[in-house]
Amino acid sequence: MLFSRSFKHCLIGFFLLFSTASHAGLITNIASETISYPISTGIFGWNASYDIGFVNQDLLIDVDVYLTGYEPGSALRDIWEDGIESIWTNAFDLSDGTYFYDTVFNVDWLSTNVGADHTVTVIKGNGNVNLTRWYTGRPSGYSYSRQGVIAAHEFGHMIGLFDEYTGGALDPVTELIRADSIMGQNLTSPQIDHFDAFLEWAQVNSGVAALTLVADRGVDNYFVSEPSSLGVLLLSICIVFAVKYKSKRSEARLSGRMMFA
């Protein structure tokens, strides 16, 4: 079927509109930078430190940890790494209303303190864990199977978070106690406010003030929304043009045959 010139122009306009709407404003790579600052609350004090950047439409938070002291072995190192990354990665996504960006957390174990964000002394046996001292046996009275989630809790301190249980290193301003939290007594999952600093960094460095935190949308780097109502309207007009044009051509052919019958 041949299309009229007007219909072709209409279709071109629709595809241009949808293509522009689908790909304008997608956040590209943003160079990583190191965030580091001291934290003090009551008798507790430590230094938060991590690298943050945008890589392939992912907001990447990277922490390099130097493990010193007792050699924990690759199996326990893997448990710690998997616990940290699986609990924190994609707990929440970023969205500007059209696109969804994954939040990816990565931890690397270093063999030297050069370039390390944090230093952790590993001790053989059971004991009370904190940010700088991890045990190979039962951590803080929990079973060995909780090694991964305990590491994820301590990782929260590394990226600047307070405890959320009685007797812990509480936020001196809010003194927030929240049991159902990775930073709380039940060691459950990250909460949306735990990502506030990352959201603010992304807003400032991307120039997209509309970015917000949303529930995880899966592992895709970003999600393109359905065509806008304006695009649907334009496509509908194109279809009407096509139908009318085809009808007129049919009438013209019929009239021609009647004239020469």
Side-chain angles (χ1 to χ4, degrees):
M1 171 183 168
L2 297 176
F3 295 125
S4 71
R5 182 175 299 176
S6 296
F7 179 62
K8 289 179 180 178
H9 289 170
C10 187
L11 271 181
I12 291 171
F14 169 76
F15 286 119
L16 284 175
L17 174 67
F18 183 58
S19 175
T20 301
S22 299
H23 298 285
L26 187 64
I27 298 175
T28 56
N29 289 354
I30 302 174
S32 176
E33 70 169 303
T34 299
I35 306 296
S36 183
Y37 56 92
I39 297 175
S40 180
T41 173
I43 63 173
F44 302 100
W46 68 96
N47 200 65
S49 182
Y50 55 89
D51 295 333
I52 184 171
F54 246 101
V55 181
N56 297 327
Q57 283 78 58
D58 290 341
L59 181 65
L60 176 64
I61 295 90
D62 183 80
V63 178
D64 295 327
V65 180
Y66 169 48
L67 296 178
T68 185
Y70 184 78
E71 169 54 49
S74 60
L76 184 52
R77 284 197 301 271
D78 289 346
I79 289 173
W80 288 337
E81 181 175 352
D82 182 65
I84 291 168
E85 294 177 355
S86 64
I87 287 174
W88 284 97
T89 292
N90 286 335
F92 297 93
D93 287 347
L94 294 176
S95 173
D96 61 6
T98 301
Y99 305 101
F100 296 87
Y101 304 91
D102 292 338
T103 54
V104 177
F105 291 80
N106 180 68
V107 60
D108 293 311
W109 311 120
L110 305 186
S111 57
T112 173
N113 61 359
V114 177
D117 293 298
H118 301 275
T119 296
V120 172
T121 299
V122 180
I123 303 172
K124 183 180 180 180
N126 307 324
N128 291 325
V129 173
N130 60 31
L131 186 151
T132 62
R133 189 176 65 242
W134 294 8
Y135 288 83
T136 62
R138 299 181 61 200
S140 299
Y142 291 92
S143 67
Y144 182 85
S145 64
R146 300 287 279 172
Q147 280 281 4
V149 73
I150 294 295
H153 171 92
E154 298 306 331
F155 181 85
H157 293 310
M158 293 179 178
I159 58 177
L161 300 178
F162 295 95
D163 285 321
E164 296 174 4
Y165 60 85
T166 302
L170 300 179
D171 185 325
V173 177
T174 66
E175 297 184 340
L176 174 65
I177 293 177
R178 178 168 49 188
D180 290 326
S181 162
I182 188 61
M183 304 309 295
Q185 182 178 351
N186 294 343
L187 298 169
T188 52
S189 58
Q191 302 301 303
I192 194 166
D193 53 280
H194 293 160
F195 286 61
D196 283 349
F198 312 134
L199 171 63
E200 182 178 354
W201 183 93
Q203 289 171 330
V204 171
N205 287 273
S206 69
V208 183
L211 282 173
T212 59
L213 290 164
V214 296
D216 175 35
R217 294 296 296 255
V219 297
D220 292 335
N221 284 330
Y222 59 90
F223 171 82
V224 180
S225 65
E226 293 298 319
S228 66
S229 57
L230 178 60
V232 173
L233 176 62
L234 182 57
L235 181 60
S236 300
I237 294 173
C238 291
I239 293 172
V240 170
F241 277 149
V243 172
K244 286 187 176 181
Y245 179 70
K246 182 178 180 181
S247 177
K248 287 182 179 180
R249 285 177 61 89
S250 298
E251 290 176 1
R253 290 195 191 98
L254 181 59
S255 175
R257 284 196 292 268
M258 291 177 65
M259 287 176 61
F260 296 103

